[in-house]
Amino acid sequence: MSFVADLRVVLQGRDFRRLFGTRLVSQFSDGIFQFAVTGFAFFSPENQTTALEVAAGLAVLLLPYSVLGPFVGVFIDRWSRRQILMIAPFIRGLLLFVTAALVATDAPDPAFYAAALGVLGVNRFFLAALGASLPHVVPADRLMAANAVTPTSGTVVTFIGAGVGFLLRDIFGGSDFGVALLMVVSGVVFGLSALVARTMGRRLLGPSDDPERPQAREALRNVVVGLADGAKHLVRHRRAASTLGALAAHRFLYGMCTALGIILYRYYFTDGDPDAALRGIGLVVAASGFGYFMAVIITPYATERFTIERWVPIALASAGVLTAALVLPFQEWGLPVAGFVLGVAGQSVKICADTAVQRDVEDIYLGRAFSIYDMLFNGMYVLAAAVAAAILPADGKSYLAVVIISVGYPVAALAYRAVTSSSRAQVV
C-alpha cells in the first residue's frame, strides 16, 4: 500500500486519529527542543567541541534514562496509558521552563544537563506509552500500515520542528537568551498534546487487566527479574528479537556517523565557524528527515513484496555500500546525501522492528519490550559515540571510522539473515 492509502485506512479510526494527533504535536515540540540543545551543547561559539565532548554530551542526555527503561516498563504495563499521555506533557513543560531559566542565567553545565536529562527522560516515557498504545487503536492486520504512518510521521514532524527551531533561532538570536526562548516555545507546544490525549477514554489504551500481575511496588523490587522476563519473552519470538537486533546495529553505526558528521562540520569543512557548521548539519538533518519520509512510502511496498525478513538486510547492506561511496571522498556534498540514505534505511528497519515487536509480543509484555527497545536504541547510539571519540582525529577526517560504518552494515545484514533463516528452518 502507498503512504496515502495507509494513512487513509488508519485515519478511519477515530481513536487512532486522536493518538496520532497526540504524537504529532509532541514530536513537533521535541524537534524544537532537540535543535535548541544541539546548538547550545555542540555549536556554541564559546565551546571548542571535541569528539570526546560529543560522546559525553550524548551519554549525559541519553544513556541514564535508557538505563531507567525497565522502571518505565513497570508503570506502562500497569498505569492507564491515556493518563500517562495527559500528565507527562505538563511535567515535561515544567522541566523545560526550568531548563530555559538555567540557560538564560548562564548556570553551570552540569545543572543544564541534569535538567535536560529530566526533559528527555519524561519524553521517552511518553513515547514508550505511545508505542504500547498503538495496538489498542488499530486492528492487528493494519499494524504495518499504522507503523508506517505513526512513528515515522512523528519522526518527520520532529525534523520539521527542528527546522522551525532553526528559523526561530534567527528571530530570537543565537545567544543563551534565544536558546531559552526556544525551550519555552517547545514546552508550550508539548503541553498541547495533553489536550489531544484528553479526548480519549481512560481505559482505551490499556494495559489489559491481568489479575496475576504483581503490584507496582513489588514489581519495582523485582525490576531486574521483570526485565529478564521481558528479554526471555522477546527471545522466544525470534523475528521480533532479530529485527530489534538489526535496529540496534543500525543505531550503533548511525551514532558513529553522527559523531563523525558533527566534528567534520565543526572543523574540517568550516574551519571552526560554529554558525557555518550548524547550517551544514542542518542540511544533513533535513536530508535525513526527507529520507525518513521516503521510508514511509517505500517500506510498506517493500515488506509486501520481499517480507520483513528480506527487506531488513537489503536496507542494511545498501546503507553500508552507499555510505562508503558517499563519505570516503570527504567532500561536503556527500554527507547530506549519506544522511538521506541512512534516513531511508534506518527508518525502514525501525518500522519493521516496531511492527515485529507489536505484532509478536503479548500485550502484558509490551511495556517491558519497549523498555528494552529504548535501552538498545539509545545505549547503542551512545556506545558508538564513545568509540568514535577514541578513533576520530581533531578535525574528524577518519578513514577508519568510515570503513567500520561501511563494513558494519553488511555484517549486520548477514547476521540478521542467518538468524531469521535459522528460525524458519526450526519451524519447518
Side-chain angles (χ1 to χ4, degrees), residues 132-373:
S133 299
L134 188 59
H136 290 267
V137 296
V138 293
D141 61 347
R142 293 299 181 193
L143 269 178
M144 175 63 76
N147 277 314
V149 300
T150 50
T152 305
S153 295
T155 302
V156 172
V157 168
T158 300
F159 282 113
I160 294 173
V164 171
F166 186 87
L167 296 175
L168 290 175
R169 183 178 183 270
D170 287 340
I171 298 173
F172 298 153
S175 66
D176 289 351
F177 184 72
V179 173
L181 287 177
L182 280 178
M183 293 181 176
V184 170
V185 170
S186 175
V188 172
V189 173
F190 200 94
L192 298 177
S193 65
L195 301 180
V196 182
R198 189 175 184 274
T199 63
M200 293 180 283
R202 185 186 181 97
R203 299 181 62 83
L204 172 67
L205 305 178
S208 303
D209 292 330
D210 181 6
E212 297 182 1
R213 182 167 49 206
Q215 295 297 314
R217 184 176 299 177
E218 180 184 351
L220 284 173
R221 288 197 299 266
N222 298 283
V223 68
V224 175
V225 175
L227 180 59
D229 287 343
K232 291 176 183 177
H233 186 79
L234 270 173
V235 169
R236 289 197 296 269
H237 296 81
R238 296 286 292 276
R239 181 169 59 180
S242 58
T243 311
L244 193 55
L247 180 62
H250 159 70
R251 288 293 292 177
F252 177 84
L253 299 169
Y254 191 65
M256 289 197 68
C257 290
T258 300
L260 177 68
I262 289 175
I263 301 302
L264 281 174
Y265 272 105
R266 189 71 167 88
Y267 299 108
Y268 185 72
F269 293 139
T270 64
D271 294 325
D273 183 344
D275 289 333
L278 188 57
R279 287 194 296 271
I281 285 293
L283 181 59
V284 176
V285 169
S288 298
F290 185 60
Y292 275 55
F293 177 75
M294 290 303 297
V296 176
I297 300 173
I298 294 170
T299 304
Y301 282 116
T303 53
E304 184 177 349
R305 178 178 177 83
F306 298 109
T307 72
I308 287 178
E309 289 81 1
R310 293 178 180 175
W311 177 239
V312 168
I314 290 173
L316 292 173
S318 300
V321 172
L322 292 173
T323 297
L326 293 166
V327 180
L328 275 176
F330 286 100
Q331 297 296 313
E332 191 170 350
W333 62 265
L335 268 68
V337 183
F340 170 78
V341 169
L342 293 176
V344 174
Q347 192 64 11
S348 293
V349 175
K350 186 178 186 303
I351 292 171
C352 293
D354 288 344
T355 301
V357 171
Q358 291 171 344
R359 186 167 56 195
D360 296 348
V361 174
E362 296 174 19
D363 183 65
I364 62 172
Y365 287 96
L366 271 179
R368 280 162 284 181
F370 274 101
S371 293
I372 296 171
Y373 186 123

Side-chain angles (χ1 to χ4, degrees), residues 40 98-107 112 175-177 179-180 183:
F40 181 77
V98 172
T99 307
L102 292 172
V103 171
T105 57
D106 196 24
F112 163 76
S175 66
D176 289 351
F177 184 72
V179 173
M183 293 181 176

